[in-house]
C-alpha cells in the first residue's frame, strides 16, 4: 500500500504544477540554455494569435514566481555567439509584427516584473501606418529603447503572401519564394528575386540603424519561412541571428533560434508552464 501511495504522489507531481511556494531562488531547471517565447498581438478580444492583457499578465507572473530569469535579446545574442554567459533558467521574450499593443498593454505588465523584451517590426507598417491595426511609431520605439526594450527586423515589407503561378492557385511567403510577375506574365528570375530580397534587407536594416542606432542585427522570419539564399543575403548585410517559429530550447553556437509560441488564447496557465517544462 505504501508503494502504491508513493507512486500516486509522484504521478500527481507530474500532472499538477508545483506551487511557487515550493520553489526558491536557487531552483535550477536548466543551465547554459535559453528558452525564447513568441507573442504577437494583445487585445481585450482574443482570437488567433491575439491574447488578452490578463492572459499575458498571468504568463509574466508565472515566469517571475517560478524562478525564470528574463534576459535581453542582446545578452542572448552574445551567448549564442559564445561571447557571453546567461543565468540558469534564462528566458527571452519576443514579439512579432510591430503592433502598438506592445506599448499599450505588454510594456506596463513587463515593467511590473523588471522584464524586457524585443519586438521584430515590419518597417513599412511603422513608416506608413497604412494598416488597420496601429503599429509602433519610431518615436515610441525610441522611447522604449531608452527603457531597455529593443527592436529588430521582421522585414521591411515582405511580411506577405504572393501568387507563385499564373493562375494564382499557388501562394507563398514573399521572402522565401520567387513570385509571379503579372505585368511581365512570368515568374521572377533568380536574379530578380535576389535583388528584391537584398533591397528589403537594406531598407529595414538602414531604418533600424538610422532611427534606433542599432548595434546588433537580427531577424524573425515572417511565417517562419526562409531558405539558404535568404540566410546568405542576410548574412552579407550583417545579420547574424535568425529567429524561427520552430519550438525548442537554444544552446550556444547556433545562428537559428527556436521559439515557443505562447501567444495563443489556448495557452492557459498550466499549458504555459507545461510548454516551458517540456524543454527543461
Amino acid at each position: 500500500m505504501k508503494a502504491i501511495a508513493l507512486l500516486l504522489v509522484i504521478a500527481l507531481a507530474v500532472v499538477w504544477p508545483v506551487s511557487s511556494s515550493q520553489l526558491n531562488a536557487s531552483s535550477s531547471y536548466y543551465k547554459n540554455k535559453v528558452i525564447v517565447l513568441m507573442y504577437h498581438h494583445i487585445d481585450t478580444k482574443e482570437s488567433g494569435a491575439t491574447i488578452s492583457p490578463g492572459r499575458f499578465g498571468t504568463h509574466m507572473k508565472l515566469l517571475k514566481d517560478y524562478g525564470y530569469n528574463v534576459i535581453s535579446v542582446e545578452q542572448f545574442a552574445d551567448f549564442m555567439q559564445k561571447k557571453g554567459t546567461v543565468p540558469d533558467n534564462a528566458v527571452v521574450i519576443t514579439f512579432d509584427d510591430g503592433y502598438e499593443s506592445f506599448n499599450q498593454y505588454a510594456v506596463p505588465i513587463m515593467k511590473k516584473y523588471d522584464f524586457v523584451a524585443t519586438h521584430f517590426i515590419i518597417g513599412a507598417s511603422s513608416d506608413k501606418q497604412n494598416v488597420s491595426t496601429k503599429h509602433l511609431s519610431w518615436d515610441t520605439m525610441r522611447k522604449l529603447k531608452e527603457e531597455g526594450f529593443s527592436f529588430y527586423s521582421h522585414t521591411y515589407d515582405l511580411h506577405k503572401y504572393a501568387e507563385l503561378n499564373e493562375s494564382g492557385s499557388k501562394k507563398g511567403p514573399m521572402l522565401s519564394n520567387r513570385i509571379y510577375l503579372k505585368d511581365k506574365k512570368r515568374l521572377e528570375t533568380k536574379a530578380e528575386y535576389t535583388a528584391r530580397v537584398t533591397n528589403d534587407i537594406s531598407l529595414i536594416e538602414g531604418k533600424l540603424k538610422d532611427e534606433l542606432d542599432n548595434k546588433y542585427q537580427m531577424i524573425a522570419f515572417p511565417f517562419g519561412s526562409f531558405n539558404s539564399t535568404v540566410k546568405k543575403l542576410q548574412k552579407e548585410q550583417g545579420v547574424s541571428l535568425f529567429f524561427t517559429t520552430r519550438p525548442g530550447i537554444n544552446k550556444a553556437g547556433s545562428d537559428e533560434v527556436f521559439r515557443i509560441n505562447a501567444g495563443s488564447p489556448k495557452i492557459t496557465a498550466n499549458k504555459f508552464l507545461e510548454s516551458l517544462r517540456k524543454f527543461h
Side-chain angles (χ1 to χ4, degrees):
M1 290 296 290
K2 287 183 178 180
I4 293 173
L6 179 59
L7 288 171
L8 186 59
V9 169
I10 293 171
L12 286 171
V14 171
V15 174
W16 297 103
V18 178
S19 70
S20 58
S21 62
Q22 292 174 277
L23 296 171
N24 56 60
S26 63
S27 297
S28 178
Y29 315 129
Y30 52 89
K31 297 175 181 287
N32 299 316
K33 298 176 184 178
V34 182
I35 286 176
V36 180
L37 300 176
M38 176 176 64
Y39 294 94
H40 288 80
H41 186 37
I42 297 180
D43 191 76
T44 53
K45 184 178 180 180
E46 296 187 317
S47 64
T50 301
I51 62 171
S52 68
R55 190 177 302 278
F56 181 71
T58 296
H59 292 182
M60 297 302 100
K61 187 176 188 302
L62 289 170
L63 289 177
K64 191 71 172 182
D65 287 351
Y66 281 76
Y68 291 93
N69 293 303
V70 174
I71 64 172
S72 71
V73 79
E74 292 78 20
Q75 182 177 358
F76 172 63
D78 288 344
F79 165 74
M80 292 297 280
Q81 295 176 359
K82 298 183 177 181
K83 296 177 182 178
T85 60
V86 293
D88 294 355
N89 312 334
V91 169
V92 172
I93 301 168
T94 69
F95 279 74
D96 285 4
D97 297 342
Y99 294 116
E100 165 62 26
S101 63
F102 176 74
N103 178 52
Q104 182 180 0
Y105 295 118
V107 168
I109 292 169
M110 287 186 285
K111 283 183 176 180
K112 285 173 56 178
Y113 303 104
D114 294 322
F115 291 169
V116 293
T118 197
H119 204 140
F120 295 100
I121 67 157
I122 303 166
S125 296
S126 288
D127 269 354
K128 302 171 185 177
Q129 293 294 336
N130 59 346
V131 284
S132 57
T133 304
K134 187 177 180 182
H135 280 237
L136 293 161
S137 69
W138 294 105
D139 284 342
T140 297
M141 285 186 268
R142 275 188 287 273
K143 176 184 74 72
L144 291 176
K145 186 174 181 182
E146 292 177 357
E147 298 170 1
F149 299 93
S150 57
F151 303 88
Y152 293 97
S153 171
H154 205 33
T155 73
Y156 184 78
D157 199 20
L158 295 183
H159 192 290
K160 301 174 181 177
Y161 273 77
E163 295 179 358
L164 307 182
N165 59 14
E166 183 177 3
S167 66
S169 60
K170 184 179 180 183
K171 295 184 178 181
M174 289 185 70
L175 178 64
S176 55
N177 290 281
R178 290 161 59 186
I179 63 175
Y180 185 76
L181 305 174
K182 289 184 177 180
D183 58 334
K184 297 180 180 178
K185 298 182 179 180
R186 62 172 174 80
L187 196 67
E188 271 182 321
T189 65
K190 184 176 180 180
E192 288 170 331
Y193 167 67
T194 298
R196 175 169 61 81
V197 173
T198 299
N199 182 62
D200 187 272
I201 300 168
S202 296
L203 281 171
I204 185 61
E205 293 302 329
K207 291 292 292 189
L208 289 167
K209 288 180 181 178
D210 292 345
E211 298 282 357
L212 303 176
D213 195 28
N214 276 9
K215 300 297 189 294
Y216 291 75
Q217 292 175 256
M218 52 193 89
I219 183 174
F221 294 118
F223 316 110
S225 182
F226 65 100
N227 56 40
S228 58
T229 299
V230 168
K231 276 193 69 175
K232 178 177 179 291
L233 295 173
Q234 295 277 349
K235 285 183 175 182
E236 287 174 354
Q237 296 203 45
V239 179
S240 59
L241 204 55
F242 305 92
F243 288 72
T244 73
T245 57
R246 299 194 301 265
I249 193 166
N250 297 283
K251 301 177 183 179
S254 175
D255 63 2
E256 293 182 13
V257 178
F258 297 119
R259 290 194 291 173
I260 297 173
N261 180 18
S264 164
K266 297 179 181 179
I267 307 297
T268 62
N270 275 358
K271 286 184 178 180
F272 181 72
L273 290 174
E274 289 168 8
S275 69
L276 298 175
R277 287 178 181 153
K278 182 179 180 181
F279 298 106
H280 284 184

